[in-house]
């Protein structure tokens, strides 16, 4: 099995378990609301009222489940922040609607301890929406601790794709 890069500590990105993202199959991730490298539309930030942006993906065939992690690239002394963790998404699911969570999936705790989408606030940070294809369904409850959910996602990842918003509009 291949290990994966998942958010780790203050760097916001790291290798958990020793593998390399280059060893993973690629998932294509997009949004009808912004393109990779564009700003995150204001409505999906803490100043907006919409919630999470819609996402679409492909390339998860063979997966037993899918996970989504939203984090930022904050390199200040506070370190990166995880804004959302969703796991046990049905592998047949290929999109996530605006301000929704796929039926049957579970959400884990974020950096703040909240369960659910924590809208980004730092206008100059980049925000990464990363989709992971997993080789198993995760035996985690709703609200699982962040460290535990990220560790399990890393241990079971077989493919990864990312959409990055470079700042907030």
């Amino acid at each position: 099995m291949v290990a994966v890069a998942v958010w780790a500590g203050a760097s916001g990105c790291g290798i958990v378990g020793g593998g390399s993202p280059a060893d993973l199959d690629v998932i294509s991730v997009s949004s009808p609301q912004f393109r990779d490298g564009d700003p995150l539309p204001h409505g999906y930030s803490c100043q907006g009222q919409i919630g999470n942006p819609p996402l679409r993906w492909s390339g998860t065939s063979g997966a037993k489940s899918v996970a989504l992690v939203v984090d930022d690239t904050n390199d200040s002394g506070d370190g990166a922040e995880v804004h959302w963790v969703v796991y046990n998404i049905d592998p047949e699911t290929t999109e996530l609607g605006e301000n929704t969570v796929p039926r049957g999936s579970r959400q884990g705790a974020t950096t703040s301890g909240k369960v659910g989408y924590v809208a980004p606030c730092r206008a100059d940070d980049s925000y990464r929406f990363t989709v992971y294809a997993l080789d198993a369904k995760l035996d985690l409850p709703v609200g699982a601790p962040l460290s535990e959910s990220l560790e399990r996602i890393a241990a079971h990842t077989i493919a990864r794709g990312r959409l990055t918003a470079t700042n907030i509009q």
Side-chain angles (χ1 to χ4, degrees):
M1 187 189 70
V2 178
V4 62
V6 173
W7 178 88
S11 71
C13 183
I15 302 298
V16 177
S20 167
D23 296 336
L24 298 173
D25 288 337
V26 176
I27 297 171
S28 174
V29 183
S30 64
S31 175
Q33 296 301 320
F34 66 99
R35 292 179 181 212
D36 191 54
D38 284 352
L40 181 68
H42 180 266
Y44 304 111
S45 75
C46 66
Q47 301 299 314
Q49 300 296 318
I50 300 174
N52 66 272
L55 298 172
R56 297 179 181 145
W57 57 85
S58 63
T60 58
S61 64
K64 302 283 193 235
S65 71
V66 174
L68 167 68
V69 176
V70 179
D71 70 334
D72 63 40
T73 58
N74 181 25
D75 289 330
S76 73
D78 295 338
E81 183 176 346
V82 174
H83 298 273
W84 201 18
V85 179
V86 184
Y87 43 88
N88 291 345
I89 299 170
D90 186 302
E92 299 298 316
T93 299
T94 59
E95 64 182 71
L96 172 78
E98 186 175 83
N99 199 28
T100 64
V101 178
R103 183 191 305 222
S105 65
R106 296 178 179 170
Q107 299 178 87
T110 61
T111 301
S112 69
K114 179 183 175 198
V115 175
Y117 182 71
V118 176
C121 284
R122 293 186 290 255
D124 295 330
D125 283 356
S126 290
Y127 296 93
R128 301 177 290 211
F129 296 79
T130 308
V131 176
Y132 299 92
L134 308 179
D135 64 4
K137 207 168 178 183
L138 302 182
D139 184 22
L140 293 171
V142 170
L146 180 60
S147 60
E148 189 174 349
S149 61
L150 294 181
E151 183 178 306
R152 296 274 186 90
I153 290 168
H156 292 283
T157 296
I158 56 175
R160 181 191 82 164
R162 178 176 288 161
L163 175 66
T164 303
T166 56
N167 53 35
I168 297 173
Q169 216 172 32

